Amino acid sequence: MPILNKDMTLCISLAERPSNNGTRFHNHLYEQLGLNWIYKSFRPTDIRDAIAGVRGLGIRGCAVSMPHKEAVIELVDHLTESAEAIASVNTIVNDDGVLTAYNTDFLAVAQLVQDLDTDLAVAVRGSGGMAKATVAALKSAGFGDVTVVARNEARGTALAEQYGFAYAADVPAGAAMLVNVTPVGMDGGDGAGQLSFTQGQIAAAEVVFDVIAVPAETPLIAAAREAGKRVITGAEVMTLQALEQFVLYTGILPSAEQVAAAEEFMRSQA
């Protein structure tokens, strides 16, 4: 990485509980490609002020994580089709003070489920911004039997009805694919070390998908592996969506080898 200098391009991430995943991934690619860029994560105390800073300081790119994915919508100038349809933002690109919002979470999830049997009965636990991207991606991929499971009945029902799916307060019997889009199991949170689904529900499933990237091996993923289930991890989501962000920010598509090296570096660090 080059020494900090006045011409360096800055990209950032904004999250309630920042991790080093994006920082490692992006900075490793900058170094491989010889770019005079740097990536830094922040925990904003005021999201409105943070986005004003992106605009006013000429910060090129901004990743947006929970719980800010919906709050930033009114703070940008343009929404791309996916971000507008989902009403959730995870990426902002700054072009000379004009902020355009994207949702690369949707693109990542769509890629990860594209080879699955769309006849699987799916239970998605959660109703926030990432749940919106996930449910939209499942609909786009052709899944028809999806139940949104959420404590907030109003939000859960609204999300389910938007895509023609069902809502339930608990996981329905026969769910063959379990998807966690809540913070349960995330490092540093109240639910760290806990399971978002029961052992019985995991045993009955065929596929278990946890969008949480920190830790890479969440309690849910560990339990699913032990039970011999096919798993899709948040680390996989993170890599795919971060690559989409990198291309949006820089206009450069790294080689598969460069992406693999950045992913390995990201995952190998404590």
Side-chain angles (χ1 to χ4, degrees), residues 11-261:
C11 291
I12 67 172
S13 65
L14 301 174
E16 181 68 22
R17 291 193 286 270
S19 79
N20 280 320
N21 283 345
T23 303
R24 293 167 183 146
F25 183 85
H26 286 270
N27 283 323
H28 196 275
L29 283 175
Y30 298 157
E31 184 171 6
Q32 289 188 81
L33 293 164
L35 300 179
N36 189 29
W37 290 51
I38 191 168
Y39 190 103
K40 175 75 171 65
S41 61
F42 292 92
R43 181 181 185 275
T45 56
D46 186 301
I47 191 62
R48 185 174 294 274
D49 287 348
I51 299 302
V54 170
R55 190 192 304 272
L57 295 173
I59 294 170
R60 169 58 179 166
C62 175
V64 182
S65 296
M66 296 186 293
H68 308 299
K69 294 184 177 187
E70 296 167 343
V72 301
I73 290 175
E74 65 176 356
L75 307 177
V76 302
D77 301 302
H78 304 291
L79 293 176
T80 57
E81 184 176 351
S82 63
E84 184 172 19
I86 300 168
S88 177
V89 170
N90 82 321
T91 304
I92 298 172
V93 177
N94 181 3
D95 293 298
D96 298 321
V98 178
L99 305 185
T100 302
Y102 299 78
N103 195 301
T104 65
D105 287 331
F106 169 88
L107 300 173
V109 173
Q111 289 183 59
L112 289 167
V113 302
Q114 64 184 355
D115 67 335
L116 296 178
D117 180 2
T118 56
D119 289 332
L120 290 174
V122 184
V124 178
R125 186 180 291 282
S127 59
M130 186 63 191
K132 290 182 178 182
T134 301
V135 171
L138 290 169
K139 180 71 173 183
S140 177
F143 287 84
D145 186 356
V146 177
T147 301
V148 176
V149 180
R151 291 181 300 176
N152 188 316
E153 182 176 356
R155 287 172 62 97
T157 300
L159 175 57
E161 290 180 349
Q162 181 179 355
Y163 294 98
F165 294 144
Y167 164 80
D170 202 356
V171 178
M177 179 173 170
L178 305 176
V179 187
N180 176 48
V181 284
T182 75
V184 175
M186 182 184 294
D187 273 358
D190 293 337
Q194 298 180 17
L195 291 173
S196 49
F197 295 95
T198 68
Q199 291 286 1
Q201 290 162 351
I202 295 169
E206 297 178 27
V207 181
V208 176
F209 184 176
D210 196 343
V211 303
I212 292 174
V214 182
E217 191 81 356
T218 64
L220 177 61
I221 292 298
R225 287 195 200 279
E226 186 174 351
K229 308 302 177 180
R230 176 172 177 174
V231 301
I232 303 173
T233 71
E236 294 175 86
V237 177
M238 192 276 157
T239 296
L240 289 173
Q241 70 84 18
L243 176 58
E244 294 287 345
Q245 290 176 329
F246 183 90
V247 175
L248 287 171
Y249 298 158
T250 67
I252 298 170
L253 177 61
S255 69
E257 293 76 16
Q258 289 168 332
V259 173

